[in-house]
Amino acid sequence: MTDGQLVVVGASVAGIRVARGARERGWTGPIAVLEAGADAPHDKPALSKGYLTASESDDAVILETSRTLRDAEIALHTSSSATALDVTAREVHLDTGSAVGFEHLVIAAGCNSRTISFLDGLRGVHYLRTLTDSRSLRTELAPGRRILVIGGGFIGTEVAATAKTLGLDVTILDAAPAILDRVLPTAAAAEVARFHERHGVKILNNVHIVSASALDGRVNGVNLADGTFVPADLVVVGVGTSPNTDWLAGSGLDLEDGIVCDQYLRTRNPRVWAVGDIASWFNGRYARQMRMQHWTSAREQASAVAWNLTVGAAGIKAYSTVPYIWSDQYDMRIQHVGMVGEEVVHEELGPDKHLFLCMTDGSVTGATTMNCPTQMLHLRKALLRSVDDAGRLRDWRQLLAI
């Protein structure tokens, strides 16, 4: 059925792509997108890179305006925060006290940044999830200032690279043994760390922050468990996220590390779907639940749900994929496909050009490349084409000759 109201919660790249895709594929009924924030729908990758340096304008990162969506007969409601879901009445309740009815609901509400309580209320402390966050941070990125980045994931390392490029004094503090060690093989993560250090970034790993120091209400550093004081003029926190599911308590949906979905990205209620960072769906390629937090998967999932919403029950397709992530830092393009394996084969293909093949029992399970876009393109195609149900590429030797 495509003539009832389709409601999308979240104007993320996934949410906007679902709305656009459903309309283009023939959804004839009303489509409403509910967004808790006040910003126009925007792309997030540039928020820690080009937009943060002001080299990319608002026009370059805004996905849609109210006018372009209105032209597509899609109603965008910003500053509309969902507070509850009643699947029986088919209603999303809002913080305004009103409710929006739906024929089908797609939840693209994303994640919330994890916060550090002892930094609450201090000026000079930044989190980076929205356009407004990025604008606020870039006003403080003046050459010579000391910036402290807490967290060594992709957000933290991208902000560190951007700040260093702008001439700031940069320190990364990470509780883990190495930056990016949760997402890249150890050898690849170590290579990225060396790259940052060559650019003058100081990295402190295995650290525990116990308190903040402030002067006149503004942060001026943090205290570590070993007694070290790390001074700072501003702090950026990137210590992970948590799925935005609190408002779904009592809805009857399965909530476990996000919203639990089947292989079609459909929840236990056949009229409710989830896409993007919030979706924990059954990836048939690996025969297990996965939640992927990156731009590529958000776009792909949205396209899959737009298809499934408009083809009827007999035509729906499962969505399965090999995980893929990327990051631009300085002049380095970091890409990873597949899973991190138990062993790593490292090939240095030129200055700052690296290929890391992740191996398990003699088979490729994934790969990380640095400044090797052609090799990554072939690797992605090979893994998508040839990976078996255990997530391994058996015939891998040909890849070393790429």
Side-chain angles (χ1 to χ4, degrees):
M1 180 175 185
T2 62
D3 56 356
Q5 174 152 265
L6 171 63
V7 173
V8 180
V9 175
S12 60
V13 64
I16 291 297
R17 195 172 178 86
V18 167
R20 272 284 188 182
R23 180 62 83 210
E24 291 166 1
R25 289 195 51 79
W27 188 280
T28 58
I31 300 178
V33 179
L34 311 177
E35 167 57 39
D39 291 325
H42 52 276
D43 229 350
K44 292 188 182 297
L47 299 187
S48 56
K49 298 182 280 291
Y51 190 76
L52 194 56
T53 66
S55 63
E56 294 188 31
S57 66
D58 283 20
D59 289 344
V61 299
I62 288 177
L63 296 168
E64 301 277 1
T65 65
S66 295
R67 179 177 178 179
T68 59
L69 289 173
R70 188 167 58 248
D71 290 345
E73 298 184 307
I74 297 169
L76 173 65
H77 303 276
T78 55
S79 302
S80 296
S81 182
T83 57
L85 170 62
D86 185 334
V87 294
T88 302
R90 280 188 266 168
E91 290 181 338
V92 177
H93 293 258
L94 304 178
D95 57 354
T96 59
S98 60
V100 179
F102 62 85
E103 186 68 31
H104 279 267
L105 171 68
V106 179
I107 302 174
C111 293
N112 298 317
S113 297
R114 291 198 174 101
T115 60
I116 298 176
S117 58
F118 55 71
L119 293 171
D120 290 349
L122 295 179
R123 298 193 313 280
V125 176
H126 298 266
Y127 296 85
L128 192 56
R129 293 291 294 174
T130 69
L131 206 61
T132 297
D133 294 340
S134 189
R135 287 191 193 115
S136 174
L137 175 56
R138 88 181 171 190
T139 64
E140 296 215 56
L141 297 181
R145 300 192 78 190
R146 298 167 300 180
I147 182 173
L148 179 59
V149 179
I150 301 177
F154 274 132
I155 290 294
T157 52
E158 287 174 1
V159 169
T162 298
K164 194 64 190 177
T165 300
L166 291 173
L168 282 79
D169 183 323
V170 183
T171 300
I172 299 175
L173 297 183
D174 197 6
I179 62 171
L180 296 172
D181 77 331
R182 299 178 184 87
V183 290
L184 299 180
T186 300
E191 189 62 43
V192 177
R194 284 191 288 270
F195 197 65
H196 273 275
E197 288 168 340
R198 290 209 314 269
H199 280 80
V201 174
K202 185 177 182 180
I203 301 173
L204 300 178
N205 290 109
N206 291 312
V207 297
H208 177 58
I209 306 170
V210 294
S211 63
S213 174
L215 180 63
D216 296 329
R218 182 181 178 88
V219 68
N220 66 357
V222 298
N223 299 296
L224 307 185
D226 65 2
T228 301
F229 174 71
V230 183
D233 297 308
L234 66 151
V235 172
V236 176
V237 181
V239 291
T241 61
S242 57
N244 180 19
T245 56
D246 289 350
W247 64 282
L248 295 168
S251 67
L253 302 185
D254 292 328
L255 306 176
E256 184 177 348
D257 187 33
I259 301 171
V260 178
C261 302
D262 63 13
Q263 66 268 38
Y264 306 107
L265 293 157
R266 183 178 54 191
T267 72
R268 66 185 302 173
N269 185 297
R271 295 181 183 272
V272 181
W273 313 70
V275 291
D277 295 1
I278 203 170
S280 172
W281 101 107
F282 184 82
N283 188 347
R285 194 173 289 269
Y286 294 89
R288 63 184 177 89
Q289 296 293 129
M290 284 189 176
R291 186 167 69 86
M292 294 166 57
Q293 301 181 68
H294 208 269
W295 183 86
T296 304
S297 57
R299 288 170 56 89
E300 291 177 351
Q301 289 177 6
S303 295
V305 168
W307 169 280
N308 288 340
L309 282 166
T310 53
V311 296
I316 65 173
K317 297 178 181 178
Y319 170 71
S320 65
T321 192
V322 174
Y324 170 73
I325 56 178
W326 56 269
S327 175
D328 290 331
Q329 302 182 23
Y330 309 104
D331 55 355
M332 177 177 281
R333 167 61 64 97
I334 303 164
Q335 296 170 279
H336 181 83
V337 64
M339 312 300 285
V340 174
E342 297 172 358
E343 307 168 29
V344 175
V345 174
H346 179 199
E347 294 286 320
E348 191 166 355
L349 305 181
D352 291 328
K353 296 182 68 174
H354 299 271
L355 166 64
F356 298 87
L357 287 178
C358 303
M359 314 287 294
T360 298
D361 297 332
S363 299
V364 172
T365 57
T368 300
T369 62
M370 298 170 190
N371 290 335
C372 296
T374 301
Q375 287 80 358
M376 176 53 69
L377 178 63
H378 288 298
L379 285 162
R380 284 190 71 193
K381 287 181 177 179
L383 284 166
L384 283 165
R385 182 178 61 247
S386 306
V387 70
D388 65 13
D389 59 7
R392 300 172 185 174
L393 180 64
R394 297 294 180 183
D395 185 15
W396 59 270
R397 288 174 178 81
Q398 58 179 325
L399 299 177
L400 291 178
I402 292 174

